[in-house]
Amino acid sequence: MSHQVFKNPRQEKRIINQRVIIASSLVLCLIIVLLIRLAYLQILKHHYYSDLAKDNRVEILPISPVRGLIYDRHGVLLARNIPVFSLEITPSAVDNLKKTVDDLVKLLDLSEKEIRLFYRTAHQQPAFQSAPIILKLSEKQMSLFSVNHYRFPGVEIKARFITRLSIQ
């Protein structure tokens, strides 16, 4: 005896519809989960990731060459390097530049000429590069700033070398 299988189009259509509904609901649930996660990251965690991105930037630091002592052929010292310390401000790392400069003026007794030169230099270069406010710090100024360094984020002392000629 042979069995004949008859197709039931209504039952096949119902099965296909059920599968489409299940697949559509699964895709819709995944899209909703993705949208919720996107909103969480974009809205609720914005400040956290924005701060991480700011801290993650690449900073190119030029390194000035340090020359040794220069002697002539008779052994007479012609030139030598002298360490000089400067106070520099990175404008992008300071919340309120004017207030920081005013506080430094009160602390270190800066002249108007130094302040004007600093603002001119700071406006001529990118905000992420440091600009010197004092080119040659005295020991008193260095110690005053070092004690109060915690009050000045974005301000730092940098060591440089200048070449001093010893020719009479």
Side-chain angles (χ1 to χ4, degrees), residues 51 54-55 57 89-101 103 119 127 150-155:
D51 290 343
K54 286 178 189 172
D55 293 340
R57 66 180 173 213
I89 300 176
T90 306
S92 66
V94 175
D95 291 332
N96 186 344
L97 185 62
K98 181 165 179 16
K99 182 182 179 324
T100 300
V101 170
D103 290 346
Y119 278 120
Y150 70 94
R151 294 177 37 214
F152 300 100
V155 182

Side-chain angles (χ1 to χ4, degrees), residues 85-87 89 101 104-122 131-138 141:
F85 298 94
S86 64
L87 187 68
I89 300 176
V101 170
L104 285 171
V105 167
K106 290 175 192 168
L107 180 68
L108 302 175
D109 193 33
L110 303 177
S111 69
E112 279 295 319
K113 182 181 177 185
E114 289 172 318
I115 297 166
R116 279 195 311 271
L117 184 61
F118 164 73
Y119 278 120
R120 187 178 322 131
T121 305
I133 189 163
I134 304 175
L135 290 173
K136 291 182 182 178
L137 277 171
S138 68
Q141 287 174 321

Side-chain angles (χ1 to χ4, degrees), residues 5 10 36 67 71 74 96 109 119 127 131-132 139-140 158:
V5 178
R10 239 186 282 152
I36 290 172
R67 295 175 181 89
Y71 295 96
H74 302 292
N96 186 344
D109 193 33
Y119 278 120
E139 286 188 28
K140 180 182 178 185
K158 290 193 177 178

Side-chain angles (χ1 to χ4, degrees), residues 58-64 88 90 128-130 156 158:
V58 175
E59 187 176 344
I60 298 173
L61 299 173
I63 300 173
S64 57
E88 300 193 6
T90 306
F128 60 85
Q129 285 184 351
S130 63
E156 59 188 356
K158 290 193 177 178

